[in-house]
Amino acid sequence: MADILFYSEEDDLLHELAGLATVVAAQAGGRSCAVVLGEDKAATASSLASEGVSEVYLFKAPAAFRAHPEAAAQALVEASAKHHSAFLLVGSTKEGKVVAGRLAAALGAPAASDCATIQLTDGDLVVERPSYGGRVTTKVALSGKYVVACVKARAYPRATPSGTAGKVSEIPFEPALTTSLIEVRERPASSVDLTKAEKIVSVGRGLKKKEDIPLIQSLADAMGASVGCSRPLSADLGWLPEEAHIGLTGIEVKPKVYVAIGISGQLQHLAGVKEAGTIVGINTDKAAPIFANADYGIVGDLYQIVPELVHQLTASKHK
Amino acid sequence: MLNMAVLVKHVYDENQLKVDRGSGKISFEGVPGKISDFDRCAVEAALVLKSAGGGKVTSVTLGPEEAIKSLREVMAMGVDQTILVKEQAFSRLDVAATASVLMKALEKAGGFDLLICAEGSVDSYTSLLAPMLAERLRLPLVTYAQSLQVKEGSVRVERVLEKRVEVVEAKLPAIVTVTGEINDPRIPTLLQIMGAMRKPIATFTLADLGLDLQSLTTGGYRLLEYSAKSRERRKVIFDGTVPEAVAKLVDALVKDGLMS
Amino acid sequence: MVFPLGELGDYEIKFKPEHEMFRKFIREFFEKEVEPRVSEIEENDAVPADLLKKMGEMGFQGIAVPQEYGGQGGDQISMAIFSEEAGRTYPAIMTIVGVNGLFTIPILLFGTEEQKRKYLPPVARGEKHSAHATSEAGAGSDVAGVQTKAERRGDKWVLNGRKAFISGGDIADYFLVLARTSPPPSRKERWKGLTFFIVEKDMPGFSVAKNMKKSGLKGSSIVELQLDNVEVPDSNRLGDEGEGFKIAMETFDHGRIGVAAQALGIAQAAFEKSLNYAMQRSTFDRLLIQQQAIDDYLAEMLMKLVTSRQLVYWASYLADSGRKEYLIAASLAKAYATEAAEFCALKAISIHGGVGVVVDSHIERMLRDVEITKIYEGSNEIQRLVIIRQLIRQTMGFDPMGM
């Protein structure tokens, strides 16, 4: 019998974990408990309590600390001490993984990050996570008094209000931090979060100059899609923002249709599009790996194909 | 004098894995090894700091005999000292066990003011090693560094998260993890390569560090299976003139109900 | 006798660990810094200045120059590795770098200490570029036909003439110019009376003219040099008066393996691309690799590729071992590897079908680039002559041409 403790600094993920935690807790014969940081998070705490979570530990830390991984790890350690045995689920964000690592080390617990699936099997937490650039799925069994697993965003659905009334316990909290935040710059929110986009038009090195981006945008507009790119266009050339970078070290997307234009299809990029419904490749190089990893493809010059595609899509709309 | 340590991992080349297309089974046999790409960025970051303000750079690796080849590359880049904890079964150690080994190896290296490592290794990319080390060594940790400066006993890092960029400072000794965006690792010249061949590598076994494989592999982390079931894509290529090919594509997408 | 050498052991090739590491890093340089700019170089017929600078900083021009003269102190095998990787990604780069060898090698072999200390370090470090100026419109393979004249005036020489087909002459700061300093004593001894001079581009009367457009090796220019009463101090004379022909021959002997390696790289690229394509492209419901005709082509290409590889590195190893037999091995390697590379380039086009001649595919480029390799650095016709002459000289001790 084990309880489930979960935490994420990201609101959406937090509610997804709530749903997952409730299910696993039932299987494990234990309770699901959330850890929330921040004296300004009372509303979040109570909404979780109504979504099937048995107990919400609301650590009353000053708002400024609530996203700090050290603070979160300390809070989770404190919360874990209240449980004889627990599976700890942390949202697999950048900061979440730092939290998980510190937490696992503090508790002497085994840990796995970026888990796409979580299952309870014979008292162990069995998880699946990607490795080798996303080519390989690794299945791992985690066992022990405490176990830490980071769960990927959108792997599980959000919890829904269930008419239950869980407990909210307020805990005074003064985290001891070893780093100082000097400055924060919000990254410009892109008009659409690519991770939620249903249609994506993506561009790579085949594009000759920055001034040609409007051509790609015109296809995106004709399709009602968002624009993404492979790493060179954002990281090296700066033609598109970092938020548009799709790939192993960028973002992972799950659109229904993904059109890769002038993208060769290297492993590092494909790792970000594995879950796409339909992949279309457009490239001048017949031997480019994208074609072996796409559902549809046209070998040719994007400067001819894209305008033609825009033309035909627009024409069919007016029929 | 800034005493820096860098963690370097020898991995199987993910681009050369042998995958059976039918069963999804993976074979590591005969797959060449290499340095995890982002570790070279970590080495480069340390070398840049060394050029700027002086210091010493030591690389630390847990790996098999074959790792020596990769370590020579790091030496050719300009690392001053190289430490290898040689263990053929290194891949059986999970992140926590690896952290235990590296902690002892770092002691042998004489400690550090700044430990730099990559955010993740190209094989498993867990991002858990640095936080575990930071917790156990009770050190400040700054992650996802895109830029890195050391001034007056503190490290100043610009870190990139999903929705914001932070500038964070921590007092040394500290641990910093870097992403691949931080720099372009240098390519050594032939002269530097030949020099690297002659430099010594300090090698230790687990026993030399007071550890044993048995107790390191009982931590509750059990690898069940690897599989590479890739989604079979249709691989249909539309040919003909540009208008013809495009028409076929639009047709297919409409039929699939994707154009609405 | 195990022709053309004495025993089986003479065919061994031994590599050092640094060779493989060097190969890996050179390949990384080419894939990271050169590959993305190939289309740009092809279109502009010029290598961007920043890339030239990076190459200079990597010390490519000094790979085989001793460390004491600012070089990397590498061996022939290292030079071959560099040339092969350049050939694999973009052969013109090898030519641009390699022509400096035709300047540094003769100075290393025949120069005075002052000449070595003055001219080698800047070229080895990539700070200055150099070129070799022997060829003229009327004298390519026939070096003895050189007509540029050098007249002695006190402690100076005055040079007059026109050089043609000079690789890298547009970016070179230093030139090694071959001129006739005295008339040949007889028709049979036309090779006597030639001398080399180190000429700097700023010397009055020296100018670079007429950049010729070529079908391949874009980015590597060939120019004509005009010398109008160019005054060169005697301290810039390389070697003894009249020693020029011998110096030229020895220089080309040393440069031969590089061209063979360059061609090897082209063959390697042709094979890699063809194999890759055959594994991905389907026709008639099967992958190309499952079609017997394609397998035949690929197998033939691989036979020629591997044979070229063995010849190139064997010749390099012999040179590094100080064996005089490297001369015949180098000629064998050059003649074979360049023709093998042409074969592979042609087959690559066939395997790629229509795509093979599309410029953006970079397949047809390999054929355009490979043609000159059969011609320069001693044409393959000359190589065949050299091979037999050397063989007879080596095994029987006399020159068959003199019979």
Side-chain angles (χ1 to χ4, degrees):
Chain A
M1 202 217 69
D3 296 322
I4 317 294
L5 264 69
F6 65 94
Y7 162 82
S8 181
E9 80 283 0
E10 268 302 302
D11 215 60
D12 285 337
L13 243 182
L14 183 61
H15 290 279
E16 287 165 22
L17 290 177
L20 175 62
T22 310
V23 169
V24 181
Q27 292 172 348
R31 303 157 64 226
S32 71
C33 306
V35 168
V36 174
L37 253 70
E39 54 199 6
D40 58 330
K41 292 296 228 174
T44 305
S46 39
S47 98
L48 285 171
S50 70
E51 285 167 19
V53 179
S54 312
E55 184 164 1
V56 181
Y57 298 115
L58 178 58
F59 283 83
K60 307 206 76 172
F65 294 142
R66 57 179 159 75
H68 202 297
E70 267 186 282
Q74 284 165 23
L76 279 157
V77 171
E78 217 182 291
S80 304
K82 300 176 196 291
H83 300 262
H84 172 74
S85 176
F87 295 125
L88 294 124
L89 304 178
V90 178
S92 204
T93 58
K94 289 185 176 183
E95 294 284 50
K97 288 183 268 193
V98 179
V99 174
R102 279 193 176 278
L103 177 59
L107 297 175
S113 58
D114 291 320
C115 301
T117 69
I118 303 274
Q119 242 180 298
L120 198 57
T121 308
D122 298 328
D124 290 343
L125 203 65
V126 173
V127 305
E128 278 184 334
R129 65 176 305 276
S131 48
Y132 291 98
R135 269 189 100 177
V136 175
T137 303
T138 313
K139 203 176 203 172
V140 176
L142 303 168
S143 54
K145 187 158 132 83
Y146 298 111
V147 150
V148 178
C150 297
V151 182
K152 280 208 225 199
R154 289 177 311 287
Y156 289 93
R158 284 178 75 109
T160 43
S162 59
T164 54
K167 191 168 120 188
V168 177
S169 311
E170 294 192 338
I171 304 172
F173 186 54
E174 261 190 56
L177 303 177
T178 56
T179 63
S180 355
L181 183 61
I182 308 292
E183 197 189 308
V184 177
R185 292 198 301 272
E186 295 298 320
R187 290 174 79 179
S190 34
S191 48
V192 180
D193 179 357
L194 283 177
T195 58
K196 301 197 167 93
E198 297 228 312
K199 296 188 204 160
I200 297 177
V201 167
S202 197
V203 64
R205 275 199 166 277
L207 198 71
K208 296 207 169 99
K209 44 192 200 302
K210 184 176 182 177
E211 293 73 29
D212 296 335
I213 300 258
L215 172 64
I216 307 298
Q217 186 65 53
S218 70
L219 177 60
D221 293 340
M223 280 176 64
S226 312
V227 175
C229 65
S230 60
R231 188 173 168 221
L233 261 68
S234 58
D236 299 337
L237 296 165
W239 293 353
L240 283 164
E242 190 51 40
E243 300 83 68
H245 164 203
I246 296 169
L248 178 66
T249 55
I251 54 176
E252 240 184 87
V253 296
K254 268 193 208 173
K256 291 212 174 90
V257 59
Y258 183 83
V259 183
I261 302 173
I263 290 178
S264 64
Q266 296 301 328
L267 197 66
Q268 286 75 10
H269 178 70
L270 292 177
V273 211
K274 279 185 299 122
E275 303 296 317
T278 298
I279 297 180
V280 180
I282 297 173
N283 198 298
T284 49
D285 183 3
K286 210 154 202 169
I290 189 72
F291 292 117
N293 289 284
D295 297 289
Y296 300 130
I298 300 181
V299 179
D301 183 2
L302 73 93
Y303 289 95
Q304 290 187 320
I305 295 171
V306 173
E308 180 64 30
L309 195 46
V310 172
H311 168 73
Q312 291 196 21
L313 286 171
T314 327
S316 71
K317 268 202 223 150
H318 292 156
K319 277 204 190 113
Chain B
M1 223 220 17
L2 191 59
N3 196 5
M4 291 176 278
V6 181
L7 299 180
V8 174
K9 188 177 182 186
H10 180 83
V11 301
Y12 286 117
D13 188 343
E14 76 275 15
N15 290 304
Q16 301 201 49
L17 289 183
K18 299 184 184 151
V19 179
D20 181 289
R21 284 189 195 185
S23 65
K25 268 190 162 330
I26 298 153
S27 168
F28 291 109
E29 216 187 290
V31 174
K34 62 169 184 175
I35 296 184
S36 170
D37 305 40
F38 307 123
D39 291 351
R40 280 184 59 197
C41 296
V43 170
E44 177 67 24
L47 292 172
V48 167
L49 286 174
K50 180 180 164 186
S51 301
K56 179 171 158 230
V57 180
T58 302
S59 76
V60 178
T61 302
L62 162 66
E65 171 87 31
E66 297 76 64
I68 291 178
K69 227 176 30 154
S70 295
L71 294 182
R72 295 257 175 236
E73 293 182 20
V74 152
M75 288 159 105
M77 284 175 75
V79 152
D80 300 294
Q81 195 194 347
T82 315
I83 291 181
L84 170 66
V85 179
K86 199 156 60 156
E87 174 52 63
Q88 291 307 115
F90 73 104
S91 54
R92 285 173 47 199
L93 273 64
D94 69 349
V95 189
T98 304
S100 301
V101 176
L102 292 175
M103 277 170 64
K104 294 274 182 186
L106 286 164
E107 268 172 45
K108 288 280 183 197
F112 54 86
D113 299 315
L114 180 62
L115 174 66
I116 304 179
C117 57
E119 189 47 53
S121 57
V122 291
D123 53 358
S124 46
Y125 218 95
T126 63
S127 299
L128 295 173
L129 182 62
M132 285 186 181
L133 282 171
E135 186 68 19
R136 290 170 66 176
L137 291 171
R138 300 192 184 290
L139 289 179
L141 169 70
V142 190
T143 53
Y144 298 99
Q146 187 176 248
S147 76
L148 172 55
Q149 276 173 328
V150 170
K151 221 159 79 168
E152 287 148 23
S154 276
V155 64
R156 193 182 174 115
V157 172
E158 200 181 32
R159 56 192 299 252
V160 182
L161 298 172
E162 290 93 338
K163 295 208 175 110
R164 62 186 191 278
V165 175
E166 294 181 346
V167 177
V168 173
E169 261 183 28
K171 278 206 173 53
L172 301 180
I175 302 179
V176 174
T177 68
V178 300
T179 64
E181 320 300 338
I182 190 168
N183 58 40
D184 239 339
R186 65 196 60 185
I187 296 176
T189 62
L190 179 59
L191 194 60
Q192 291 168 314
I193 292 169
M194 295 193 298
M197 290 297 151
R198 296 188 276 272
K199 289 192 202 163
I201 297 180
T203 311
F204 301 93
T205 60
L206 289 179
D208 291 333
L209 302 177
L211 299 165
D212 71 282
L213 191 60
Q214 185 61 16
S215 51
L216 285 170
T217 48
T218 54
Y221 182 101
R222 240 166 49 243
L223 174 61
L224 296 179
E225 81 178 0
Y226 274 129
S227 70
K229 274 176 275 180
S230 63
R231 205 178 146 145
E232 257 321 300
R233 295 281 170 190
R234 278 166 278 181
K235 302 185 214 185
V236 175
I237 307 245
F238 299 121
D239 49 23
T241 62
V242 170
E244 284 169 5
V246 168
K248 291 180 196 169
L249 173 63
V250 172
D251 216 39
L253 292 174
V254 165
K255 278 211 184 78
D256 288 349
L258 296 168
M259 294 285 119
S260 50
Chain C
M1 258 274 115
V2 191
F3 271 123
L5 264 56
E7 40 177 72
L8 287 176
D10 291 326
Y11 288 85
E12 85 180 340
I13 309 174
K14 281 212 201 100
F15 292 98
K16 299 188 193 139
E18 54 257 41
H19 288 139
E20 180 59 32
M21 198 195 300
F22 182 54
R23 187 192 65 77
K24 260 181 83 175
F25 278 126
I26 287 291
R27 182 169 288 204
E28 190 183 311
F29 179 89
F30 276 100
E31 286 183 350
K32 199 169 88 166
E33 303 289 346
V34 178
E35 174 85 52
R37 312 186 76 170
V38 164
S39 296
E40 184 192 330
I41 303 174
E42 280 286 300
E43 246 188 76
N44 300 333
D45 198 355
V47 176
D50 66 292
L51 178 56
L52 274 175
K53 187 160 179 280
K54 275 192 186 134
M55 284 161 51
E57 285 162 5
M58 289 293 292
F60 292 159
Q61 286 175 189
I63 288 176
V65 173
Q67 287 176 30
E68 61 179 308
Y69 296 116
Q72 304 282 307
D75 52 16
Q76 264 291 3
I77 290 184
S78 304
M79 201 56 226
I81 290 171
F82 170 80
S83 305
E84 183 192 340
E85 288 303 318
R88 178 180 172 269
T89 299
Y90 199 64
I93 300 290
M94 182 276 171
T95 303
I96 292 170
V97 171
V99 292
N100 289 276
L102 300 176
F103 177 84
T104 56
I105 289 166
I107 292 181
L108 274 166
L109 294 174
F110 298 97
T112 62
E113 197 55 39
E114 290 76 43
Q115 288 168 339
K116 289 180 193 174
R117 295 210 176 279
K118 180 172 179 192
Y119 291 105
L120 294 179
V123 172
R125 290 193 293 255
E127 292 156 12
K128 298 264 187 217
H129 302 292
S130 59
H132 182 102
T134 289
S135 293
E136 295 175 3
S141 293
D142 181 21
V143 169
V146 155
Q147 297 201 317
T148 298
K149 274 195 178 50
E151 268 179 56
R152 184 130 200 185
R153 288 207 204 133
D155 62 346
K156 287 204 231 299
W157 294 85
V158 178
L159 272 58
N160 275 287
R162 196 170 177 88
K163 293 292 181 187
F165 298 105
I166 306 305
S167 275
D170 58 331
I171 56 170
D173 302 287
Y174 308 140
F175 296 81
L176 202 56
V177 179
L178 185 65
R180 188 159 274 296
T181 42
S182 53
S186 68
R187 275 200 80 184
K188 272 215 210 152
E189 294 171 300
R190 289 161 71 243
W191 53 273
K192 289 187 181 169
L194 295 167
T195 311
F196 269 111
F197 296 91
I198 300 171
V199 177
E200 296 185 30
K201 75 166 184 217
D202 295 328
M203 287 175 172
F206 182 87
S207 59
V208 174
K210 210 168 149 201
N211 203 327
M212 288 199 230
K213 212 166 148 183
K214 319 178 300 307
S215 68
L217 289 192
K218 299 275 183 184
S220 159
S221 313
I222 46 169
V223 298
E224 292 189 2
L225 306 175
Q226 182 66 30
L227 296 106
D228 286 323
N229 294 318
V230 179
E231 283 185 12
V232 175
D234 189 50
S235 55
N236 273 27
R237 168 175 47 84
L238 183 71
D240 294 333
E241 202 187 316
E243 215 185 356
F245 187 83
K246 171 180 158 205
I247 294 176
M249 292 301 109
E250 276 205 47
T251 301
F252 299 143
D253 285 345
H254 277 86
R256 198 150 295 150
I257 298 175
V259 177
Q262 180 187 38
L264 170 62
I266 295 174
Q268 171 78 13
F271 182 78
E272 275 180 41
K273 290 179 180 173
S274 302
L275 180 65
N276 200 30
Y277 189 70
M279 292 289 289
Q280 301 216 20
R281 168 87 167 130
S282 295
T283 51
F284 299 104
D285 229 12
R286 291 195 291 178
L287 286 174
L288 278 187
I289 195 92
Q290 293 168 311
Q291 311 278 20
Q292 191 170 7
I294 302 299
D295 284 353
D296 275 353
Y297 288 165
L298 287 170
E300 290 262 10
M301 287 166 81
L302 190 58
M303 285 184 227
K304 291 191 153 50
L305 171 60
V306 172
T307 309
S308 301
R309 180 172 299 289
Q310 295 300 105
L311 281 170
V312 166
Y313 288 101
W314 173 55
S316 304
Y317 183 68
L318 285 171
D320 285 336
S321 308
R323 307 274 308 262
K324 278 249 96 185
E325 293 92 333
Y326 91 87
L327 280 173
I328 191 173
S331 289
L332 286 167
K334 199 269 188 187
Y336 187 86
T338 53
E339 286 165 22
E342 182 191 47
F343 175 88
C344 291
L346 278 167
K347 285 294 176 249
I349 295 177
S350 299
I351 291 172
H352 281 80
V355 166
V357 294
V358 166
V359 173
D360 279 340
S361 71
H362 297 295
I363 303 294
E364 53 79 38
R365 175 178 60 73
M366 294 190 287
L367 186 63
R368 281 190 285 113
D369 285 341
V370 85
E371 284 307 298
I372 190 64
T373 66
K374 298 189 304 172
I375 299 167
Y376 70 8
E377 268 299 307
S379 69
N380 288 5
E381 291 80 4
I382 298 275
Q383 298 305 332
R384 284 168 162 80
L385 206 67
V386 168
I387 286 167
I388 297 305
R389 259 176 107 163
Q390 268 305 109
L391 181 68
I392 305 296
R393 254 198 200 127
Q394 200 174 286
T395 54
M396 298 177 202
F398 61 88
D399 181 353
M401 297 306 276
M403 274 161 45

